[in-house]
Structure formats: structure tokens, C-alpha cells
């Protein structure tokens, strides 16, 4: 009776004895050329390459490498003002970085491509492996090799108990030790330690779930930035954000109606030594409501201690000063009165700059460019003012005045931190520069109006992040850690016990063990428990194979090669 293997052997023999093409008879047709693998074959080859563990590791490395610019360069989603400052300081290289989306790395198309390929690679690699592992767990333990003495761990002895009693005792002992046991003929096969491979799969599946959770968070979540000044309230509405980045599937109508009020922002600085002026602590005292009907609560917002409100997390990311001004026009009417957030020119002393725009002033609109020195002192040469400390110990503001058309009525967008049309539609006021302390008023020349420096407040920049995938991602991360721990702590182990009749009516017992990795002491404990007190002092049986050769180097390989037995080992994973 021929089988498939015999057919393949016959085909190989026929191919090997076929005459070369040049020596074939004239009537014979030449063999056809081998055809290409075709589009389907190329797709299958590409899928196999993509779903290998090597490709997954390469993609994982590329994700980590791609995240480096997001950690080094400022990102628009977290600190747009720092991105603007980077453009001002690096006018040549910043536009090139922007073309490569390095200021918005985690929303860049190239990062999304790597991310999706990594997800597909892991899914194609891990899911089939999990199915195979599940089937392997439910399969019978491999049958015992014919010569157990060639295994890495082996022991043999003689006993007065019958083979049936030895095998029954072996089954009970191995089941007690949580082995999966299968008995066939004169041997008992057992196996355990699948938890190690299960942990390895749990780790990879958790990593896959983590990538999926992060993707779902980016799809259905949103993030935004808002600047809140002391005494102001922010309501979670799209129009109140300074910058807002929604997920592709996010509906702005689903935004939670929470609100935040900033009562006080405080910062602590080193007052002496080499680190004088360095910030040591930031704290924003907030009042918030999860909804208009919910009770008001208080929270001290600090760095790395976000506030949770309305399903979103609020982070403290920046701060600065917001001087308060009152501007009156030529008629003496109040044209502007508010606190204006100033941008820090440098963070060592927090010297800041800002603009004040009064479009309602009459008969001409008024605008001011101002510089704030939190702790004003004279420079070393006494010719200019500098700030000696970042805290507001002696705040002073210098203002430069302008009048004309600010350009707000044209409909073109303008930056709140910049004056447009200077020297064209907006003209400097001659003699319109003045140094002001809190409470002082500067009357503009020519009766154009006046400006009063009312006082100084602080502002804080908040990053609001709504991520529905945050909890699933946390659970996946925990499972990944547990899976890694299990994969390192548990190893696959197999134990076989064979009992057969020996000389003199005694029973010869052979015990063999195979452990993935280094051998364990558990095998010795099993042998000791099987032998028991009655056989502990008796000499072991001769440990030789059928040809009389003792077990030596390569014993495990020779044991696996014995014909007619089950496999003692499995392919490497």
C-alpha cells in the first residue's frame, strides 16, 4: 500500500533519472519554463514577511524612534506657544521640521503608517500563534520515547510493586503536582508549564490591545489647550479653546459640560545660591463643576497631578503674567479694561511682552506694545531696566503707544500677541513711551487718551485631554506586565514514567524528564516520591540502551530519534 510519501519519493526518482533537455529524443517536447508566483503569490509572500516577529520588532523600533522628535521638539497639541517661539528662534530649520510634521509627530501620516503596520504585523503574528497554543494545550501529552535514559533528566530503579501499581501511583502523583497526565500501554506521559507560553502570548495580545486602545482614543477623543487668567472661568465649549484637536470620529456635541475657575496661581523659586530663580513648585487653585447642576469642588492642580472632570484630564503645562490695563479714549470713555496674557521672552526672569488693543476708542483706535519686568532693577551700567527675579516682587511695565486703524474690521485673522500695520495703518504716537508701576496712569500726548496699569495677575495654560481608550490601555499595560512575569517564571516540563516486568519477578521503573531551558529540581522530587521509603536504599537498574550504550552527550536527540515513539520535544517557538 503506497502513501503520499512513497508517491513523492517515486516522483523524485523519476525526475532524477530523466534525460537532460539537450539529449531528449526528437519526438519529446521540452519541459515548460517555470512560471512566476503571480500577484497572489507576491501578496502571500508580503503577508508572511509582514507577520514575522522580526518585522514586528523592526516596526516597534521605528515607533520608538519616531517618538523621539515628539519628546525633544515642542508639540502643537501640548504647547503651541513654544512652537511659535521655536519658529522665531530657528527661522531656517523650523519650516523644514514643520514639513516633516515634527511639531505634531503623533498625528503625522508617517507615524500613523508605522503604527498601523505594527498593529497588523502583531495581529497576523500573535493570533494564529494563540490558536495553535490553545490546540496544543488541549492535545494529549507526547508519548514516551522508547529509551528514557537518553533524556537530559533520567532515573531508573527496581521495585517489588507490580507495574500496574507503579503506573497508578505515578498518575496520582503527577496529577497532584498539576501535570496533565495520559496513560498508554506500559508508560505514563505528563506535561505542564503551558502558563509560560500563555504569559508570552498574553504579553503580545496585551500589546496589541494597547495599540488598539491608543488608536481608539485618538479616534474618538480630543485634546485642546486653553489659557485661563486668575479670576476667570473656562467652560468646556469648542469656542472657548485656544487650540482644539478632535479625533476623526469625535462629535463636538458630546463634549462634557464641565467648567473650571482659576482662583489663584502660585509659583515658588529658589531665592539664593547657584539655582536662584529656578522654579521649585507650581500650583493652581481651582474650582470646578462636572456639570452645571453638580456641586462645586476645589482642587489644587500641580504638575503631573492632573484634574479629572467630565471624563477628561486637565494638565498644568505653562504659566505667565497677565497685567491689567484700563484704556480711555480722547473723550475720556473706557475703551478697554481687562487683563492681557503676556508671553515670556525668557524663562529665567520671566521678562514678558504683550499687546493691548482698544478698537472701540474714538475718534481713533488705540494700541500699545508693552514689556513687563516682574522684579525691575537697573542694569549694571544703569542705562536700562532688567528683571532680577522671576517672581513679581517689583513689577514695572513700559508701554509704547500707537493710534490709527488696528485692522480688526478687515476680517483678516490677527494674532492677539502682535500688532499689524505698524507704520502703515497704525502710527506711533510721538512721546508715547512711558514706564508704569501698578496704579499709575499715562496720559497720551495730544489728548489721544490714557492708559492705566491697574495691577498684575497670572495666567496658566491648561491641556485638556479626553481619551476614551485610557482605561483599556491601562488594563492592557497591566496584563502585559503580568504576562512577561509569567513567561519568565514558568517553564515547560514533561515527565514520563515506564514500568515493566524485570528479572526475578521485580518491576523495572524508568523515569525521564525534559525541561524547556535548564533542568529543575522538581524531577528529583518526583523520582523520590515514586520510589518511596521501600525502594530508597536499593540499587538502580542498569541505565543502558538496547545496544548496550550508556546515555551520554546528545542523549535527548538520540531519544527523540527512536522510531515508533511520540515526539519528546517540540519545535522552537
Amino acid at each position: 500500500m503506497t502513501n503520499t510519501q512513497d508517491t513523492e519519493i517515486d516522483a523524485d526518482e523519476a525526475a532524477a533519472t530523466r534525460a537532460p533537455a539537450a539529449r531528449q529524443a526528437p519526438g519529446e517536447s521540452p519541459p515548460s519554463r517555470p512560471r512566476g508566483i503571480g500577484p497572489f503569490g507576491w501578496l502571500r509572500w508580503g503577508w508572511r514577511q509582514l507577520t514575522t516577529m522580526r518585522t514586528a520588532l523592526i516596526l516597534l523600533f521605528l515607533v520608538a524612534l519616531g517618538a523621539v522628535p515628539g519628546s525633544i521638539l515642542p508639540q502643537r497639541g501640548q504647547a503651541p506657544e513654544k512652537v511659535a517661539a521655536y519658529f522665531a528662534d530657528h527661522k531656517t530649520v523650523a519650516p523644514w521640521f514643520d514639513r516633516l510634521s515634527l511639531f505634531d509627530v503623533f498625528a503625522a501620516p508617517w507615524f500613523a503608517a508605522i503604527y498601523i503596520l505594527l498593529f497588523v504585523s502583531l495581529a497576523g503574528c500573535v493570533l494564529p500563534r494563540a490558536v495553535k497554543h490553545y490546540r496544543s494545550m488541549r492535545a494529549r501529552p507526547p508519548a514516551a520515547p522508547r529509551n528514557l535514559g537518553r533524556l537530559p533528566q533520567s532515573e531508573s530503579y527496581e521495585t517489588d510493586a507490580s507495574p500496574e501499581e507503579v503506573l497508578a501511583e505515578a498518575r496520582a502523583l503527577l496529577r497532584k503536582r498539576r501535570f496533565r497526565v495520559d496513560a498508554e500501554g506500559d508508560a505514563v506521559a505528563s506535561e505542564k508549564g503551558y502558563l509560560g507560553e500563555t504569559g508570552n502570548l498574553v504579553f503580545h495580545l496585551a500589546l496589541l490591545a494597547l495599540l488598539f486602545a491608543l488608536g481608539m482614543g485618538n479616534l474618538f477623543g480630543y485634546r485642546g489647550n486653553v489659557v485661563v487668567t486668575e479670576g476667570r472661568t473656562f467652560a468646556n465649549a469648542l469656542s472657548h479653546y485656544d487650540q482644539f484637536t478632535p479625533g476623526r470620529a469625535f462629535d463636538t456635541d458630546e463634549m462634557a459640560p464641565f467648567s473650571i475657575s482659576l482662583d489663584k496661581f502660585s509659583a515658588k523659586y529658589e531665592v539664593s545660591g547657584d539655582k536662584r530663580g529656578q522654579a521649585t513648585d507650581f500650583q493652581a487653585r481651582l474650582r470646578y463643576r462636572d456639570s452645571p447642576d453638580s456641586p462645586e469642588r476645589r482642587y489644587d492642580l500641580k504638575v503631573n497631578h492632573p484634574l479629572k472632570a467630565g471624563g477628561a484630564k486637565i494638565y498644568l503645562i505653562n504659566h505667565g503674567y497677565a497685567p491689567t490695563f484700563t484704556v480711555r479714549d480722547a473723550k475720556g470713555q473706557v475703551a478697554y479694561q481687562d487683563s492681557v496674557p503676556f508671553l515670556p521672552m525668557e524663562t529665567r526672569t520671566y521678562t514678558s511682552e504683550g499687546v493691548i488693543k482698544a478698537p472701540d476708542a474714538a475718534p481713533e483706535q488705540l494700541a500699545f506694545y508693552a514689556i513687563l519686568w516682574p522684579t525691575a532693577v537697573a542694569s549694571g551700567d544703569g542705562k536700562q531696566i532688567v528683571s532680577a527675579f522671576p517672581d513679581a516682587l517689583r513689577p514695572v511695565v513700559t508701554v509704547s503707544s500707537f493710534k490709527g486703524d488696528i485692522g480688526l474690521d478687515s476680517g483678516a485673522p490677527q494674532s492677539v500677541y502682535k500688532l499689524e500695520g505698524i507704520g502703515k495703518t497704525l502710527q506711533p504716537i510721538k512721546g508715547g513711551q512711558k514706564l508704569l508701576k501698578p496704579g499709575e496712569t499715562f496720559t497720551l500726548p495730544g489728548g489721544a487718551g490714557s492708559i492705566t496699569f491697574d495691577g498684575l495677575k497670572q495666567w496658566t495654560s491648561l491641556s485638556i485631554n479626553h481619551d476614551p481608550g485610557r482605561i483599556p490601555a491601562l488594563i492592557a499595560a497591566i496584563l502585559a506586565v503580568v504576562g512577561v512575569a509569567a513567561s519568565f517564571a514558568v517553564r515547560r516540563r514533561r515527565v514520563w514514567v515506564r514500568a515493566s516486568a524485570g528479572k526475578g519477578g521485580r518491576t523495572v521503573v524508568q523515569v525521564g524528564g525534559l525541561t524547556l531551558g535548564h533542568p529543575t529540581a522538581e524531577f528529583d522530587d518526583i523520582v523520590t516520591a515514586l520510589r518511596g521509603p521501600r525502594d530508597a536504599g536499593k540499587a538502580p537498574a542498569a541505565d543502558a540502551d538496547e545496544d548496550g550504550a550508556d546515555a551520554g552527550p546528545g542523549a535527548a536527540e538520540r531519544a527523540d530519534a527512536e522510531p515508533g515513539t511520540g515526539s519528546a520535544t517540540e519545535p522552537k517557538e
Side-chain angles (χ1 to χ4, degrees):
M1 178 177 180
T2 61
N3 54 19
T4 304
Q5 185 177 2
D6 297 335
T7 304
E8 293 177 353
I9 294 174
D10 294 340
D12 292 341
E13 291 178 351
T17 57
R18 186 184 298 121
R23 300 181 181 179
Q24 289 180 348
E28 296 180 0
S29 60
S32 60
R33 292 184 179 180
R35 298 180 180 179
I37 60 176
F40 181 76
W42 280 110
L43 288 175
R44 182 172 58 182
W45 178 86
W47 173 256
R48 288 178 178 175
Q49 295 300 315
L50 179 62
T51 55
T52 60
M53 186 58 66
R54 179 181 60 183
T55 302
L57 291 174
I58 292 174
L59 291 172
L60 189 62
F61 172 75
L62 291 178
V63 168
L65 186 64
V68 172
S71 303
I72 297 176
L73 298 174
Q75 300 294 292
R76 285 194 176 92
Q78 287 75 34
E81 67 280 357
K82 292 184 178 180
V83 175
Y86 194 91
F87 267 85
D89 297 337
H90 305 82
K91 296 181 180 179
T92 302
V93 82
W96 287 99
F97 285 171
D98 197 29
R99 292 187 183 97
L100 297 174
S101 302
L102 298 185
F103 295 114
D104 202 3
V105 168
F106 303 106
W110 56 266
F111 190 85
I114 298 174
Y115 183 90
I116 294 173
L117 285 175
L118 175 61
F119 185 87
V120 174
S121 178
L122 283 176
C125 177
V126 176
L127 294 180
R129 182 179 168 191
V131 173
K132 180 180 178 181
H133 176 64
Y134 175 76
R135 293 174 179 173
S136 180
M137 289 176 61
R138 296 179 61 85
R140 298 173 59 184
R146 186 173 62 181
N147 192 345
L148 297 179
R150 291 179 174 175
L151 293 175
Q153 291 179 291
S154 62
E155 189 73 37
S156 63
Y157 63 93
E158 294 183 355
T159 180
D160 294 330
S162 65
E164 292 76 12
E165 293 175 342
V166 172
L167 296 179
E169 184 180 356
R171 288 195 297 269
L173 175 63
L174 293 172
R175 287 196 179 102
K176 185 178 180 181
R177 288 180 170 267
R178 300 183 180 276
F179 279 83
R180 294 188 304 115
V181 179
D182 181 47
E184 184 176 0
D186 62 345
V188 171
S190 64
E191 184 178 29
K192 77 172 181 178
Y194 274 92
L195 184 60
E197 175 64 12
T198 302
N200 190 293
L201 286 172
V202 166
F203 166 74
H204 288 90
L205 290 172
L207 184 60
L208 194 64
L210 180 62
L211 293 174
F212 182 78
L214 294 176
M216 294 300 293
N218 290 331
L219 187 64
F220 294 100
Y222 69 86
R223 67 177 184 269
N225 291 341
V226 61
V227 173
V228 183
T229 306
E230 289 176 333
R232 297 288 185 86
T233 297
F234 165 76
N236 189 37
L238 181 60
S239 59
H240 294 168
Y241 279 90
D242 298 315
Q243 184 179 18
F244 187 81
T245 306
R248 294 184 179 273
F250 178 74
D251 186 358
T252 55
D253 295 334
E254 299 177 358
M255 298 179 68
F258 65 86
S259 60
I260 302 171
S261 299
L262 177 61
D263 291 337
K264 179 69 175 177
F265 180 86
S266 59
K268 295 181 180 180
Y269 304 93
E270 292 285 351
V271 297
S272 62
D274 296 337
K275 297 183 179 180
R276 185 177 185 272
Q278 181 175 326
T280 58
D281 185 48
F282 301 105
Q283 178 176 289
R285 296 180 182 177
L286 305 178
R287 289 177 289 113
Y288 72 97
R289 297 177 185 269
D290 288 320
S291 66
D293 300 331
S294 62
E296 188 176 65
R297 303 175 183 177
R298 294 185 178 273
Y299 188 81
D300 291 337
L301 184 64
K302 296 184 178 182
V303 177
N304 297 327
H305 291 80
L307 166 67
K308 298 179 182 178
K313 277 192 172 185
I314 296 95
Y315 298 87
L316 176 64
I317 60 174
N318 207 348
H319 76 101
Y321 290 104
T324 302
F325 297 95
T326 300
V327 178
R328 297 179 183 273
D329 60 16
K331 299 179 181 180
Q333 297 178 348
V334 176
Y336 180 88
Q337 187 176 35
D338 204 353
S339 298
V340 184
F342 277 28
L343 291 180
M345 300 171 66
E346 46 84 21
T347 57
R348 187 177 62 86
T349 63
Y350 263 84
T351 301
S352 307
E353 62 179 349
V355 298
I356 306 99
K357 300 179 182 181
D360 297 330
E364 293 184 287
Q365 296 178 349
L366 298 176
F368 305 87
Y369 171 75
I371 297 178
L372 167 70
W373 287 276
T375 302
V377 296
S379 61
D381 56 8
K383 295 181 179 181
Q384 59 183 358
I385 298 175
V386 295
S387 180
F389 198 71
D391 205 358
L393 303 180
R394 192 185 303 156
V396 169
V397 170
T398 58
V399 295
S400 300
S401 310
F402 301 85
K403 64 179 180 180
D405 184 8
I406 300 176
L408 295 179
D409 298 332
S410 65
Q414 283 191 15
S415 170
V416 296
Y417 302 108
K418 186 178 180 181
L419 291 177
E420 303 287 348
I422 295 178
K424 298 178 181 179
T425 60
L426 198 61
Q427 302 299 327
I429 298 177
K430 187 176 181 180
Q433 293 79 30
K434 184 66 175 180
L435 178 69
L436 297 176
K437 297 179 181 179
E440 292 184 347
T441 300
F442 173 43
T443 301
L444 301 179
S450 65
I451 181 170
T452 301
F453 180 22
D454 297 319
L456 191 63
K457 295 182 179 180
Q458 296 195 70
W459 59 263
T460 180
S461 179
L462 304 178
S463 176
I464 301 174
N465 186 2
H466 173 66
D467 186 2
R470 183 177 64 251
I471 300 300
L474 176 62
I475 295 174
I478 294 174
L479 289 176
V481 173
V482 173
V484 166
S487 66
F488 282 109
V490 181
R491 288 177 286 176
R492 185 88 60 84
R493 287 150 291 177
R494 291 170 177 168
V495 176
W496 295 273
V497 180
R498 176 178 287 118
S500 57
K503 298 179 180 180
R506 306 197 69 197
T507 299
V508 177
V509 181
Q510 292 180 313
V511 185
L514 187 64
T515 301
L516 184 64
H518 298 290
T520 64
E522 184 180 30
F523 177 81
D524 298 329
D525 296 338
I526 292 174
V527 173
T528 301
L530 285 174
R531 298 183 68 165
R534 64 176 181 272
D535 302 312
K538 298 181 179 180
D543 190 10
D545 58 19
E546 292 181 351
D547 298 329
D550 296 334
E557 291 78 0
R558 293 197 302 271
D560 297 337
E562 293 289 350
T565 64
S567 174
T569 59
E570 292 184 351
K572 293 184 179 179
E573 297 175 355

